[in-house]
Structure formats: C-alpha cells, structure tokens
Amino acid sequence: MSHSAIHHGALGVARTLGRSGVPVYAVVEDAYTPLAMTRYLVKAFVWDSCPSDPESFVKAMGLIADSIGRPAIIFPMDDLSATFVAENAVDLARRFIIPRVPPQLPRQLANKTCLQALCAEIGIPTARSIVPQSFDDVRTFTAGTKFPVVVKAAEQWLPLKDTFSTKVILTPEQLFSFCEKYNYAGSERLIIQEYIPGDDWVCHGYYNADRNLSVTFTGRKLRAYPTDAGSTALGLSLDNQELRSVSEKLLKAVAYSGIIDMDWRRDERDGQYKLLDCNPRVGQNFRMFENSAEVDVVRAQHLDLSGQHIDNAAPVESRLFKVESYYVLALLRRLPRGASKQDANKYLPPKIREFAWWSSDDPLPFLIMSVRLFVQSLQRAFGLWFYSPNSLQ
C-alpha cells in the first residue's frame, strides 16, 4: 500500500518478496508508476486517492481481497495507511493477515505529540519540544532555545500549510514569520523542536509482542535529502548495540507488533540517542538492512505471519544503500550537502552496495522513475519561472 507515485520503499517490498516466490499485489496512484511496472508485481490496484474514512477504506480493501481470492498480508507504506489498518483490524482480519497490535498504538507512534508523551512516560530521550497553543507560546519557547529549530507537522499526512511536514528554521525572525498567521485552532497540529547536533542513525525492525520476537537493524544516515530534515539518500548498516537496546525498550514497553522505522540522533552534547520520528510501517530504506540469512524486515513479517521460521541471524554490516532519485533532486536544487566526505569515508569501503531503484533483473522501474522525475522537475522549474517576479516584467 503506497500513495506516492515515486516510492522506492514500495518497490523494494515487491522485489524482496517477489524474488522469494511470493505473489505481490500493490495499491498505486496510477498504472504507470515505477511500482506498477516491476516484473515482481502480480497486479496493481489503482486508487486515485486514499479513502478518507474507515468505512470507505474497509470497503475498498474488501474489493482487493475479493480480487486476490485468498488471505494476504498487508504492508502499509505510509503512516495514515498504518493507522487505518490498525484501527480497522477487526474488520480487515476477516480477509487479511495483519500483526496483532493495540488499535490506537500506530496513531500514537505516528503522531509526534503523542510520541513525545509516550517517550517521557517510558524514559526514552527526545528533543526538547513544544506544541504551541498560541503565538505567545512560540515566543516563550524561543526565549530559551538556541537556533536552528525544527518545525514539524504532528501528523505527517496533514502537512503544514499543505506543503511540508518538516522544516529547519534558522532564526527567531523566520520562526515568528512562519507562526504569526498560523491557525492554532485548526486541525493541523504544529510541533517545534530544538535542533539536536550530532550523527543521524536509523533503526528498522520487525516485532511480535505475543511471541517476544525482535528482529532489529541499526545504521547510519550518511546523507539526507532535503539536508538536515529529509529522508536517507545514502545510508550504511552498522550494528549498534546501544541503539538496538533503547529501540527495543520503547517497543516492548508499548507491546508493539509489526514493522517499525525510527529516526534517531546521537546528541553530541551528552552522548544520548534521542528519538526524532517513529513510523509504524515499512520504512522507505528498509533494504539498507539484511541479516546473514538474507532476511530483511519485510521477509521477517511475511515469514512470521505465514507461520514459517525466521532465521534471526546476525545483521550484515557495511551494506551501503543509495537512493539515486534523491541525488538527482539534490543536484537540480543545488543541495548536494549532507554528511561530509570524511564522515562517509570512516565506514567505507562497504561490503555490499545496493541501489534503491536500479536493478539489472528489473530495470523498467528505474527508467519509469527517471522519466517521471524529469517531467516533475520541468513542471516545477517552469512553474517557478512563470510565477517569478522577473517573468512578469
């Protein structure tokens, strides 16, 4: 289930399961997405938009179940889908196989405000933050905070000003300008966090609370797009026992089951790993990780929920994962920044290199992605030119 036309994580799910001989079906935005073109997909179901209410969602999923004709395992690829699946598990479980998770938990983990409260209760370090109820709250927070700061949408599916879910703000003046006309009584919730200096880490895993099963991977985010507040463009798997321990502490405390994707930062001021985001679903960059038995988090969930044995072997270190499309976007926007070359060289040479899009046995999705990305870039470039002040003179 993916609601983004260019989504390398969804393509990774199709490839990792398809190469294992598992029939794969997917929900796509249109019939010409890269995911719809992979050789490892049996069928694509086109949804122009995701159903916005539980009744419509369950009905639409029921039609998919009728078409498949047998029980299937659901892999949500975005936070909203993950919350819909959990909150409607009773109805969906009649036709699909899904992890047994408390219905409200995925929404609590995906909502950054609720996540802050959960972490405080359990004792998981996080960034100092505020959910402002008024402009005065913003001024009060700013008075005791060093800049830059990070502004986030509490729920990723409700982007701030319909544009972005995360933004780094460099000065108090920029923050005041952003927050001055913000609708604090609206449905979109805003959270402001201190910017934590330090190294970016990620943790992906699969868990089954009923069986006390944990399959955990950790690694470094070497480069992000957009810089400082974006997704992994270049990452390297590294087994970090301390981060593994604190991640499993959180998930065991809330009895989580299913796939998880977490962003952490090691605060260079006190050495603590502090949680930035927790996504209760498959992360886009899950293929950064695999154990020596060739099990990643997607294969782990499929094996577990289909009643098969999971070989929980040691994770493979030094898997270098590169997302080609983010590098292209960074080049076009002249933002090829991120981790320094010296930082990346600390861990190289990698044992294994894997690309998010390119695969010699499945090249068509890469070609489709390239064409669509090029068209999108042209549309944005000509749109900016058309609306720029100089174009009107």
Side-chain angles (χ1 to χ4, degrees), residues 2-172:
S2 169
H3 305 300
S4 173
I6 301 179
H7 195 294
H8 59 273
L11 176 62
V13 172
R15 284 173 171 170
T16 197
L17 292 177
R19 287 167 179 155
S20 300
V22 179
V24 182
Y25 303 81
V27 174
V28 297
E29 284 192 345
D30 63 67
Y32 300 100
T33 64
L35 175 59
M37 295 297 177
T38 176
R39 61 178 291 192
Y40 293 108
L41 202 65
V42 174
K43 184 176 181 179
F45 299 93
V46 178
W47 286 5
D48 294 331
S49 61
C50 181
S52 58
D53 63 275
E55 184 178 352
S56 298
F57 180 78
V58 172
K59 182 178 179 180
M61 291 299 294
L63 294 175
I64 291 177
D66 290 340
S67 178
I68 296 175
R70 57 181 174 178
I73 298 172
I74 299 178
F75 291 89
M77 297 303 304
D78 62 83
D79 292 344
L80 184 58
S81 294
T83 60
F84 272 10
V85 169
E87 291 169 353
N88 297 280
V90 173
D91 293 324
L92 292 173
R94 300 188 183 103
R95 317 285 293 279
F96 294 95
I97 305 170
I98 53 181
R100 291 180 52 182
V101 63
Q104 77 287 351
L105 183 56
R107 187 178 290 272
Q108 290 175 333
L109 294 175
N111 183 297
K112 294 173 178 58
T113 305
C114 296
L115 179 63
Q116 290 282 125
L118 278 176
C119 288
E121 182 180 338
I122 298 167
I124 302 297
T126 58
R128 176 175 171 266
S129 64
I130 184 176
V131 180
Q133 305 300 311
S134 67
F135 188 66
D136 287 340
D137 289 345
V138 177
R139 289 187 177 276
T140 301
F141 181 81
T142 302
T145 303
K146 291 184 178 180
F147 278 72
V149 298
V150 183
V151 174
K152 297 180 177 180
E155 295 177 324
Q156 191 177 33
W157 56 89
L158 293 174
L160 300 172
K161 299 185 178 180
D162 296 323
T163 304
F164 57 86
S165 59
T166 304
K167 184 178 182 66
V168 176
I169 294 184
L170 302 177
T171 67

